[in-house]
């Protein structure tokens, strides 16, 4: 009996020793993985490959294995295809005492879901990872968590919530001495400041990012800061950042961002009136980029170039192409939104399916089919609407081309007659009275023809403006707020169509305030009062009151708002 008991006791000791040895081997392996995963994730994956059957490990080791494996794959840029493995680790550590590993597991749940295009789930997991932020000392981890939350909020255009997380990420990166991390956070903050019209803060943030590009060259920082200075009209400062970009743009062109840099350079050269250089860069954008937004910018600047050249037919063609691209961009955005919503719906339904009974599968599939069918019908309806709009615009475009061609033919005819009369005039002898009479008649004819040329050019400009995207935005685009450049372009266009308008305003209404001048120009292009109030950011009563006051200043007598409108249209 004693021998039997002694035999079992030795067997138990041997079993416990084997288990302890096995756990010791895994512990040593995990420590080696943790030591190299940050700098050499491929080596970390190779070490983890030594464990043949991770699903047979105990709960603790299995959770640690899946967490380290997900971390190594993420740092090695291995594409994530499922969150099922990291979910095992997250569930385990969520009820454990290891706050650091819990935060890390939720962070990688967020990373995987973000890569799987599930932004809402990723955001929730990142927020879970911050639950113990005050009690865990891991600056690098919490820098990344705050940075990704801020980035997700930025993509959702919730800028007021994005900035606090980005600022906190910046603090962590500073403590950790991570200059590259600071660079990208400064750039992301600058983009938010730029979008929210905080230009001074945007410039400051971009300059901080530029100072850090000595560590890692990020050309988007130079491009965006140069573009910001260019929008502010400071072309000399803009060139300080665009010139280095120009010297490297050839090496960047195979990349998608390279064509956006070309578009910015083209816009800069257009602003300094080097039109051939501008067109060179912009043509690259039109021909080779796959991004619609870059091609839209290229068309927008190219049509401005043709306007400067007074090539009205080409201007209208480019403007029409721009509008078609804009419509396609809107369709793409709406379709992408439907696709993302559908993907989110699918994901939530699959999670619900795991929790519910199998008997509900038929109902779920029916609902999913109905949802997909509805999405398809919505997309088809959107495509049909835009197709009809396109057909209508095409007919209007043909009529517009015909009118512009008629004006161009008249201008050419009158210019040929002017040249002929000028040759006749140059051959006359000033010393003979009869010839002086002939000269006077020729000069009178030439002056009349030049007046007709001016009239046709002004009419062509009116047609081009009435069908331009700028006029369409001022007319009824309620989601759009005009910038100072848009107002300046409106003033130039109206002055070109109505050469006597600005001098008449200066004569009758000197010292106009900026909002009063904008009001006069909007009335001149027949914008409705309610829309004028939206554009000027005031109430309808303010617009009516301003018109009455301006009419009294101009005419010296009392009158109504409509009297002012008739006065402006008569100038």
């Amino acid at each position: 009996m004693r021998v039997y008991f002694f035999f079992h006791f030795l067997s138990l000791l041997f079993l416990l020793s084997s288990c302890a040895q096995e756990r010791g081997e895994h512990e040593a392996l995990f420590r080696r993985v943790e030591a190299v995963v940050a700098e050499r994730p491929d080596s970390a994956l190779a070490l983890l490959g030594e464990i043949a059957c991770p699903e047979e490990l105990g709960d603790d080791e299995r959770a640690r294995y899946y967490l380290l494996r997900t971390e190594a794959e993420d740092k090695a840029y291995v594409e994530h295809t499922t969150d099922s493995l990291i979910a095992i680790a997250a569930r385990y550590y969520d009820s454990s005492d290891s706050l650091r590993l819990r935060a890390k597991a939720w962070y990688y749940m967020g990373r995987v879901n973000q890569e799987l295009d599930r932004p809402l789930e990723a955001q929730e997991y990142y927020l879970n990872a911050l639950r113990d932020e005050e009690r865990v000392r891991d600056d690098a981890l919490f820098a990344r968590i705050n940075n990704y939350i801020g980035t997700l909020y930025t993509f959702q255009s919730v800028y007021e919530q994005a900035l606090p997380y980005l600022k906190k990420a910046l603090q962590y990166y500073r403590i950790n001495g991570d200059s590259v991390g600071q660079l990208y956070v400064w750039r992301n903050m600058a983009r938010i400041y730029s979008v929210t019209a905080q230009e001074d803060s945007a410039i400051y943030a971009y300059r901080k990012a530029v100072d850090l590009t000595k560590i890692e060259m990020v050309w988007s920082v130079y491009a965006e800061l140069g573009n910001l200075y260019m929008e502010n009209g400071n072309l000399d400062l803009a060139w300080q950042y665009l010139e280095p970009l120009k010297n490297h743009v050839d090496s960047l062109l195979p990349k998608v961002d390279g064509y956006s840099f070309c578009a910015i350079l083209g816009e800069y050269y257009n602003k300094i009136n080097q039109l051939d250089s501008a067109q060179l860069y912009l043509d690259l954008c039109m021909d080779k980029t796959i991004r619609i937004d870059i091609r839209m910018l290229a068309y927008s600047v190219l049509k401005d170039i043709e306007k400067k050249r007074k090539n009205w037919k080409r201007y209208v063609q480019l403007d029409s192409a721009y509008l078609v691209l804009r419509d396609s961009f809107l369709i793409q955005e709406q379709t992408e939104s439907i696709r993302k919503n559908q993907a989110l719906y699918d994901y939530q339904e699959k999670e619900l399916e795991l929790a519910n009974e199998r008997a509900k599968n038929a109902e779920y599939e029916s609902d999913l089919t109905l949802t997909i069918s509805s999405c398809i019908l919505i997309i088809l309806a959107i495509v049909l609407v835009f197709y009809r709009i396109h057909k209508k615009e095409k007919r209007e475009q043909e009529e517009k081309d015909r009118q512009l061609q008629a004006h161009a033919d008249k201008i050419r005819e009158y210019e040929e007659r002017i040249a002929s009369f000028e040759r006749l005039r140059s051959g006359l002898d000033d010393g003979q009275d009869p010839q002086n009479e002939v000269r006077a008649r020729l000069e009178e004819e030439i002056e009349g023809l030049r007046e007709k040329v001016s009239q046709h050019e002004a009419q062509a400009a009116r047609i081009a403006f009435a069908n331009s995207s700028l006029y369409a935005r001022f007319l009824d685009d309620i989601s759009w707020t005009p910038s100072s450049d848009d107002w300046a372009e409106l003033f130039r266009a109206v002055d070109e169509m109505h050469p006597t308008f600005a001098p008449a305003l200066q004569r009758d209404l000197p010292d106009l305030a900026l909002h009063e001048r904008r009001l006069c120009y909007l009335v001149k292009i027949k914008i409705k009062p309610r829309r004028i109030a939206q554009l000027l950011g005031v109430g309808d009563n303010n617009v009516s009151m301003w018109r009455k006051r301006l009419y009294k200043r101009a005419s010296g007598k009392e009158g109504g708002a409509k009297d002012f409108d008739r006065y402006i249209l008569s100038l």
Side-chain angles (χ1 to χ4, degrees):
M1 186 70 172
R2 289 180 180 179
V3 174
Y4 183 77
F5 175 79
F6 184 70
F7 175 77
H8 279 281
F9 179 73
L10 288 178
S11 299
L12 180 61
L13 285 178
F14 177 77
L15 181 61
L16 291 174
S17 175
S18 300
C19 292
Q21 183 178 8
E22 184 179 1
R23 283 198 298 272
E25 289 177 355
H26 291 151
E27 179 63 23
L29 177 65
F30 291 150
R31 290 186 181 277
R32 287 165 59 196
V33 170
E34 289 175 340
V36 301
V37 68
E39 300 295 332
R40 291 177 290 158
D42 292 333
S43 300
L45 286 172
L47 288 171
L48 290 171
E50 295 178 11
I51 299 178
C53 300
E55 62 273 9
E56 296 178 3
L57 297 173
D59 292 342
D60 179 70
E61 290 185 335
R62 184 166 65 249
R64 196 169 177 187
Y65 170 86
Y66 287 141
L67 177 57
L68 287 171
R69 175 176 164 179
T70 303
E71 181 180 3
E73 289 177 345
D74 189 69
K75 292 184 182 296
Y77 301 105
V78 175
E79 182 179 359
H80 299 294
T81 58
T82 179
D83 65 349
S84 59
L85 298 183
I86 186 60
I88 294 173
R91 285 194 295 269
Y92 176 82
Y93 288 120
D94 196 44
S95 57
S96 75
D97 296 328
S98 178
L99 301 182
R100 189 183 72 84
L101 291 178
R102 178 164 67 186
K104 198 172 186 179
W106 283 118
Y107 163 72
Y108 281 106
M109 274 290 287
R111 285 288 302 123
V112 172
N113 277 272
Q114 185 173 354
E115 190 165 313
L116 294 175
D117 200 18
R118 301 168 184 166
L120 298 179
E121 289 81 1
Q123 185 172 295
E124 179 183 354
Y125 296 138
Y126 286 141
L127 292 172
N128 283 341
L130 292 181
R131 284 182 300 179
D132 303 307
E133 183 178 9
E134 301 298 327
R135 295 190 290 166
V136 177
R137 183 69 179 180
D138 193 332
D139 298 328
L141 174 64
F142 288 109
R144 294 194 298 271
I145 295 171
N146 282 279
N147 186 29
Y148 279 119
I149 294 177
T151 302
L152 283 174
Y153 277 131
T154 300
F155 286 154
Q156 298 173 55
S157 301
V158 190
Y159 304 117
E160 69 278 4
Q161 295 188 41
L163 276 174
Y165 288 103
L166 291 175
K167 289 177 179 178
K168 192 179 289 187
L170 186 62
Q171 293 174 358
Y172 280 120
Y173 280 130
R174 283 173 175 166
I175 294 171
N176 203 44
D178 187 343
S179 299
V180 175
Q182 293 178 58
L183 189 161
Y184 283 100
V185 172
W186 277 118
R187 185 195 65 179
N188 294 339
M189 290 171 62
R191 288 173 173 174
I192 292 177
Y193 289 134
S194 181
V195 170
T196 55
Q198 302 179 59
E199 294 180 355
D200 291 340
S201 298
I203 290 172
Y204 175 80
Y206 274 126
R207 283 181 168 174
K208 297 292 287 186
V210 167
D211 292 339
L212 292 165
T213 54
K214 300 183 182 75
I215 308 298
E216 178 175 329
M217 184 55 66
V218 179
W219 287 112
S220 60
V221 174
Y222 284 81
E224 291 166 19
L225 180 55
N227 188 55
L228 184 59
Y229 276 124
M230 182 169 57
E231 289 178 351
N232 291 340
N234 197 334
L235 298 180
D236 291 335
L237 270 177
W239 184 240
Q240 289 184 19
Y241 298 96
L242 295 180
E243 185 178 19
L245 177 66
K246 173 181 176 292
N247 295 334
H248 291 82
V249 73
D250 289 339
S251 62
L252 300 170
L253 274 183
K255 303 175 182 177
V256 173
D257 282 341
Y259 295 107
S260 68
F261 300 155
C262 284
I264 293 173
L265 289 169
E267 188 174 8
Y268 171 80
Y269 279 116
N270 177 49
K271 285 186 179 291
I272 63 173
N273 288 319
Q274 293 187 22
L275 304 185
D276 291 339
S277 297
Q279 187 156 9
L280 176 66
Y281 284 106
L282 295 168
D283 285 343
L284 286 173
C285 300
M286 288 204 310
D287 294 340
K288 296 184 179 180
T289 184
I290 60 174
R291 282 178 49 179
I292 295 180
D293 56 336
I294 297 176
R295 295 183 68 194
M296 285 171 61
L297 175 59
Y299 275 114
S300 176
V301 180
L302 282 169
K303 67 189 182 73
D304 187 56
I305 292 173
E306 297 302 334
K307 184 178 180 181
K308 290 179 179 179
R309 292 170 173 168
K310 293 190 175 181
N311 187 351
W312 301 113
K313 185 173 182 179
R314 180 60 177 159
Y315 168 84
V316 171
Q317 291 172 347
L318 289 168
D319 189 64
S320 299
Y322 168 80
L323 291 174
V324 170
L325 272 180
R326 188 186 66 178
D327 293 341
S328 299
F329 186 68
L330 290 174
I331 293 175
Q332 179 177 313
E333 280 193 325
Q334 294 178 19
T335 304
E336 183 67 10
S337 177
I338 292 172
R339 186 193 66 79
K340 287 182 178 179
N341 289 336
Q342 182 63 42
L344 178 60
Y345 172 80
D346 290 346
Y347 173 75
Q348 292 172 334
E349 286 297 315
K350 288 175 183 176
E351 289 294 314
L352 183 62
E353 179 185 4
L354 294 174
N356 292 338
E357 300 176 1
R358 295 291 181 181
K360 296 182 180 180
N361 280 348
E363 182 180 354
Y364 162 70
E365 292 174 359
S366 176
D367 290 343
L368 183 60
T369 303
L370 179 60
T371 302
I372 295 174
S373 301
S374 300
C375 291
I376 292 173
L377 289 175
I378 292 172
I379 293 172
L380 289 175
I382 292 172
V383 171
L384 179 60
V385 168
F386 278 96
Y387 173 76
R388 289 181 176 176
I389 292 173
H390 174 70
K391 291 288 288 184
K392 181 181 178 182
E393 288 178 347
K394 185 177 180 181
R395 290 194 299 269
E396 293 174 350
Q397 177 66 36
E398 291 173 353
E399 176 61 21
K400 180 170 52 178
D401 288 344
R402 187 193 64 76
Q403 293 178 4
L404 286 174
Q405 187 60 48
H407 287 296
D409 292 342
K410 282 292 184 183
I411 291 171
R412 185 166 55 253
E413 176 188 343
Y414 291 146
E415 287 177 343
E416 290 173 355
R417 290 174 63 185
I418 289 171
S420 176
F421 287 156
E422 286 180 339
R423 286 195 298 271
L424 288 173
R425 184 180 62 182
S426 65
L428 295 176
D429 184 358
D430 292 337
Q432 299 180 20
D433 291 339
Q435 292 180 343
N436 283 338
E437 293 178 5
V438 173
R439 176 185 292 275
R441 287 197 300 272
L442 286 174
E443 290 178 349
E444 184 179 349
E445 286 285 340
I446 290 172
E447 188 62 29
L449 290 172
R450 284 176 176 163
E451 179 64 26
K452 290 181 179 179
V453 168
S454 298
Q455 292 173 359
H456 281 283
E457 286 182 342
Q459 185 62 26
R462 291 190 190 98
I463 295 172
F465 176 75
N467 292 279
S468 67
S469 58
L470 178 69
Y471 177 68
R473 290 196 297 267
F474 272 105
L475 186 64
D476 57 13
D477 190 349
I478 60 174
S479 64
W480 172 73
T481 300
S483 65
S484 55
D485 288 342
D486 296 322
W487 285 110
E489 186 177 352
L490 174 66
F491 293 159
R492 286 194 301 269
V494 174
D495 291 344
E496 188 173 341
M497 292 185 294
H498 307 284
T500 62
F501 180 62
L505 276 183
Q506 182 62 30
R507 180 194 68 223
D508 296 345
L509 292 167
D511 303 324
L512 282 173
L514 180 59
H515 70 275
E516 293 174 336
R517 187 178 180 217
R518 289 175 174 175
L519 170 63
C520 293
Y521 275 75
L522 290 173
V523 172
K524 187 65 177 176
I525 61 173
K526 301 181 180 180
I527 302 297
K528 294 181 179 180
R530 178 165 294 182
R531 177 61 179 154
I532 292 176
Q534 293 172 352
L535 291 167
L536 298 181
V538 297
D540 295 351
N541 292 335
N542 294 82
V543 173
S544 179
M545 180 179 63
W546 290 346
R547 289 151 69 201
K548 291 177 183 178
R549 288 178 179 175
L550 288 174
Y551 179 72
K552 185 175 181 180
R553 283 171 54 185
S555 65
K557 55 185 179 181
E558 297 291 342
K562 291 192 177 295
D563 294 322
F564 173 75
D565 296 347
R566 285 191 288 270
Y567 156 74
I568 289 293
L569 294 175
S570 68
L571 295 181

